[in-house]
Each structure stands twice: as structure tokens, then as C-alpha cells.
Amino acid sequence: VLAEASAQGNFALPPALRLIIMGGEQADLGRLRQWQAQHGARVRLVNLYGPTETTIAATAEVVPLAISDTQPDTAIGRGLGNLQVYVLDAQMQPAPDGIAGELYIGGAQLARGYLHQPGSTAARFVPDPFSREPGARLYRTGDRVRVWHDGRLLFLGRLDQQVKLRGYRIELGEIAAVLRAHGAVREAVVVVRDEQLVAYVVEEPSTLYPAPNESQAGPSLGARFSVLGSALRAFLAERLPAYMLPAAIVVLDALPLTANDKLDRAALPAPTAAAFAVQQALVAPRDEVERWLAQLWAELLGRQEVGVTDNFFALGGHSLLAVRLLAQIQQQIGRAIPLVTLVQSPTIAQLAAHLREQRADGPWSPLVPLQAQGQQRPLFLVHPIGGTVLCYAELARLLGPEQPVYGLQAWGMEPDQVPHQSLAAMVDDYVAAIRQVQPHGPYRLGGWSFGGVVAFEIAVQLQRQDETVDLLALIDSGLPAPDEDAPDETAMLLAFLQDLGGTIGTSLGITQADLARLTADQQLAYVLARAQQQKVLPAGMDRDQLQRLAAVFSANLKLLASYQPTPTPLPVTLLLAEATAQHVDLMAAWRALTTVVAGYVVPGTHYTLLRPPHVHMLADWLGAQLSAG
């Protein structure tokens, strides 16, 4: 290990170096900093990773002396020279750098298998598709890793730590990582017990309680839980969606370990009644309007009850749910409510006040204040191809009260509006709206998917007007292929259906063959019936509303298909969804168009990266860039 680390240039070995080699559990960034504050360069740390089946060390991470704020605390370094390490996807194909996959290890260090367990041996020790040696094998570790930008491996947790609970896919390791980020927590693990999330934590000494003197007794376990548990609940609620919050938090003196000093999950104690969350009192509806809205929200969001101060988007609401909610409101009261109203009144109390007062909606503007307060320069986010800006509501909330965020919504979303028929006209309107809020730069722009393309053109026009753009964040945005044919009406309708389904993670199951046998007028009626049957759209939604959504989508799809960008020296940052397959192609396309492109991979799919829990990572990165500017 020492020879390889030195040969790789990670550090030079001084004559009197003291070295500590550690392994077994992942390193913690805060603990590493504490160690280095005490020992400095006199004692160096090497973090080893390796399952027993690879006898034993497989990778090594020489902890750098200067640990930056961006240094990952899950780094396990690089593979040692006498073995091979691979990050592979579910089809055992190499995962692109930055994309999570399973870690496979090959080489002479592999064990022969498990004694008298041929089934387990065959499942874990698999043929090596990358080796020409007869009988070469790889060991499937079951660990999720990804390659960081400098080539080091980052440990992300066990594959079996992803669970599906109440319809949500949850990474237990993500919750534990957030808990460990709290200054009072030394160790944390999260498990599922009786269909509930339970967190076990070991507190950091002397963080919440003074050391008792001779005349004092230490705080009881009940007192410790009351203080630490309450603090952790508030900490988690600010960083995780409701469905990822543990039902119980158990404070332990130490996590139980096996004889090999590994976590013994089977020995984790059942939570006592005191460990379960004391639910924050819901503010009950106070009149008939609030009661009616609370019932609608509970049905749409799949919750037993909703408080009048709960935020629609924080509870998991998205654009399709918003359309369904407002359609049902219109059906009941006979009054159309603009989509932007829900962004500006995202709680039952606020929306009820809007309905009671029967306020006249002000003049329509493409500019929607998602978060109008704050002293920082505003961030302008352009709508995706569907036209609404509801997708940015949770991101705006997470960026905090000091960061103003404005969305740019598409013409055509409201009755009697006609969608833009040219990208130039769209950009002209959006630039004029932006300059009403911020007359001069430097500007901060961004957009998801189609919105990123429009944001790029807005930046080009601002640059031509001698303004500067210091942040242009394109969120999983692609460019049309050269010479790509414009889609026909049926193809556009199918693309619209795919976008609708992607929003809620489902498929309508409608094929081109299904639509080909229908007239254009019949197609829309057929789509509406199927969407309502599968509860993608509400029963109260009529063809005019669906046609309006489809018209905006189709108009924007045509604009994208006919888009011919001009190469422009603009610094662009690409934020690519982890599950997007064409990272290299996307980067190459944008690099051919711009001078500087920085690329980052964020967790999630194209449709989930702006929803909890993945939006938290995106907000952390974006918030850091905005604060630094």
C-alpha cells in the first residue's frame, strides 16, 4: 500500500512518518478533520477498502493533508496494482464516470468461493467478461460506487439498502448520511422495521451536554432522546421529503457489532414508544373552504390528512397533480384558477384565502416569482417543454429565503393564449420580462431540458446587448440532432404522452399503432379517456384543457426540432441526470457550441432530479454557486 501510494505521487514518505491504516467502515469527513487538527502531518491516514472475499485490501485512499469542503467523505481511493476494479451497470457494462454502479473486483486475490455453498459462490463469483484468461472471475461486492472526477472511487452504500416503502424508492444510506452531517451525531444507520423507517444514532460526546461533575449525574437516556431526537427531527425535516423521515429515532451508546466488528443489524433493538416521533400538530381546517381543499389534497397526495399550513410541493406535489387539483377546483366552483396561483399560494390556508376573496388575477406575465424575497441577485429559470414552472417550486424553496428565484412560463398555458411560434419571439419576450426585474447584469440563468436551450439563447441575446451572464446552468438539457426531421402530429402526441407519464413515473401504454387507426380528432379523445382511466388526469378535466397542454408541448417541440444554434463563447454548466445514458454525447454537443463547458452528474433520472430526494443535491450545488457569485 505504501509503495503504491508513493509511486502514484499521493505523498512522499518522510523518514520518520507515522502511519495509521484504517478500514472496515467508511471514513467520516468531520472525524478526519478532527484527527488532522490534532496530529497534523506527523501521522498520515490510509483508508483501505476490501471485502473478505478479496483477501482483503482492494483499494486504498491516502487521506490528503488539506481536506477541502468538496472532499468526499466516502472516498475509497483506487484499486491496488495486483487486482482489477470495475464499476458496472445492471447489464455488467462499464458505467460512465460519475454514474453509480456496482463494484466488481478481479485478480489473484479472489477467494475460491464459499465452502460447501456452490449456489452462493456462483451468484457472487461470476465470469470475467474483460479477461482473456480461462476461468477468470469477478467478485460482485454488492456495493454501490461511482468514479469521482479525479479517478477515485466513492462509496455510496449497499445495493440492498434501497427499499420501496409506501410506493417510494428510498436509499437508506441517504438518510443516514444526512444524520451523520449533524454535528451531534457520531454514527447513524437506518433500517426498515414493520414497514416503518427507524434511525439509530450514536451521539458525538460533549456536543449537547456538559460533562457532569462529581455532584452531578449524567442526563438520563430519556432526556438525551428528548433533546437529541427533537434536534434531529427538525434537522431532517429541513433536508428530506416527508416520506424519507424516520418514524422513530433511537439513541444508542454504541451500535451493536458482530465478532468481526461489522454492524450487527439483527441486534439493533426495537424502538420504544418514546423513540417514535411526536407528530407536529397539524393545523386543522378552520372553515368549509379549507376542509374541502384539505380533502382534495389528501386524495391527490395519498395522505391520510393534510394541515392547512403544509406546502403542496413539499408534500410531493408536481405539475400534473397541480393540473388535476386546479381542474377539480374549477369543476366545483366554476372558476378557472391559473397554474401560477398554486405556486404563489402553495398552502391550503393561502389558496383558501385566494378563493374566498375572489381576487381578480393580475395581468398575465411570463415571469412567475417563485421566491421573490432576498438580497442576492435573482436566478431566472426557463420552463421545460411542457410550459409550466411548477417543476422549480421545490428547488426555489430549498435555495432559501435570501435567493430570489423567478420562473419563465410559456404562452398558451392559459385560455385564449397562443403559444410562441418562433424561438426568437419567445426569447425576445423573456429577455424583456427579465430586464423588468433586473435591468442590467451580470445575470444568472438556468433551465431544465428544453428550458436549458431557451436559457442558452437568452444568454446569447443578453451578451449581444453587452450584458454579462455569470451563471448559465443547463439541467439535463439536450440539443436536437442535426438534420432531424420535424415530428408529425402523431409523433408529437406520443412524445406528449411520454412526457406526461415521465412526470409521474408511469406509462399510458398507448402505441403509435393505437393512434394510427384514429383520426386526429379521435386521437385526443382516446388519449384523454385513457389518461383519466389510469388517473394520470382527473375525471373533471375536459378536452379543451388537455388540448391546451398538448398545444404548448407541440409548439415547443417544433421550436426545438427547428433549432439551429450559433456557436457562441459562453461559459455553460451542464448538470446531467445520473440515469441519463448519453452523458458523453451531450457534453460533446455543447462543447461544439460553446467555449467552456463544465459538467456535473446529479442523482436521479431526467424526470426525478427536480423532485425529492434528488433535488436536495441539485439545490446544494446550485446554492453554493449562487452564494459564491
Side-chain angles (χ1 to χ4, degrees), residues 2-3 5-17 19 41 44 62 65:
L2 293 179
S6 184
Q8 290 172 3
N10 289 352
F11 67 95
L13 294 173
L17 177 73
L19 193 84
R44 299 299 305 274
V62 180
L65 286 174

Side-chain angles (χ1 to χ4, degrees), residues 294-556:
Q295 183 178 355
L296 284 181
W297 283 33
E299 292 172 357
L300 283 174
L301 297 169
R303 303 177 73 88
Q304 290 186 343
E305 55 182 344
V306 178
V308 300
T309 58
D310 289 339
N311 185 293
F312 180 80
F313 302 101
L315 293 178
H318 51 71
S319 57
L320 267 186
L321 286 177
V323 169
R324 292 169 63 184
L325 172 65
L326 297 180
Q328 291 185 18
I329 292 175
Q330 181 179 2
Q331 186 182 28
Q332 291 289 325
I333 68 174
R335 173 184 166 195
I337 305 297
L339 278 171
V340 66
T341 300
L342 190 56
V343 177
Q344 297 168 335
S345 304
T347 70
I348 289 174
Q350 292 169 329
L351 187 57
H354 182 92
L355 297 178
R356 280 193 221 94
E357 296 170 13
Q358 297 188 352
R359 304 177 201 164
D361 296 307
W364 190 90
S365 168
L367 205 64
V368 178
L370 301 173
Q371 201 327 84
Q373 308 302 316
Q375 301 302 313
Q376 297 190 52
R377 279 183 289 124
L379 171 66
F380 299 95
L381 297 172
V382 183
H383 61 81
I385 199 164
T388 79
V389 295
L390 301 178
C391 57
Y392 301 124
E394 181 66 4
L395 176 62
R397 186 181 75 86
L398 291 172
L399 288 176
E402 288 303 312
Q403 177 57 62
V405 181
Y406 291 87
L408 289 154
Q409 65 179 336
W411 283 88
M413 297 306 301
E414 306 300 339
D416 303 323
Q417 287 185 346
V418 177
H420 281 105
Q421 301 302 305
S422 78
L423 192 63
M426 177 183 284
V427 170
D428 285 344
D429 282 347
Y430 293 172
V431 168
I434 288 171
R435 299 197 78 158
Q436 287 181 356
V437 173
Q438 185 183 350
H440 298 288
Y443 291 97
R444 296 164 162 186
L445 307 171
W448 169 45
S449 195
F450 171 79
V453 174
V454 181
F456 175 78
E457 285 299 316
I458 291 173
V460 170
Q461 186 173 131
L462 288 169
Q463 191 178 64
R464 288 172 182 161
Q465 296 173 3
D466 295 325
E467 297 289 354
T468 59
V469 176
D470 67 0
L471 177 65
L472 180 53
L474 311 186
I475 305 171
D476 218 40
S477 296
L479 291 165
D483 304 320
E484 184 176 333
D485 292 333
D488 59 25
E489 294 300 321
T490 301
M492 282 192 289
L493 187 55
L494 282 171
F496 174 61
L497 297 179
Q498 182 181 10
D499 194 62
L500 280 181
T503 303
I504 61 172
T506 188
S507 170
L508 293 181
I510 298 176
T511 66
Q512 188 160 1
D514 295 329
L515 298 177
R517 57 186 173 81
L518 304 172
T519 66
D521 192 54
Q522 290 172 331
Q523 285 179 349
L524 201 62
Y526 176 70
V527 167
L528 179 60
R530 284 292 296 271
Q532 291 176 337
Q533 183 182 30
Q534 298 189 31
K535 298 183 178 179
V536 172
L537 295 173
M541 189 174 190
D542 58 29
R543 276 183 52 183
D544 289 342
Q545 292 171 313
L546 180 63
Q547 195 163 21
R548 193 160 61 245
L549 293 177
V552 172
F553 181 93
S554 298
N556 290 337

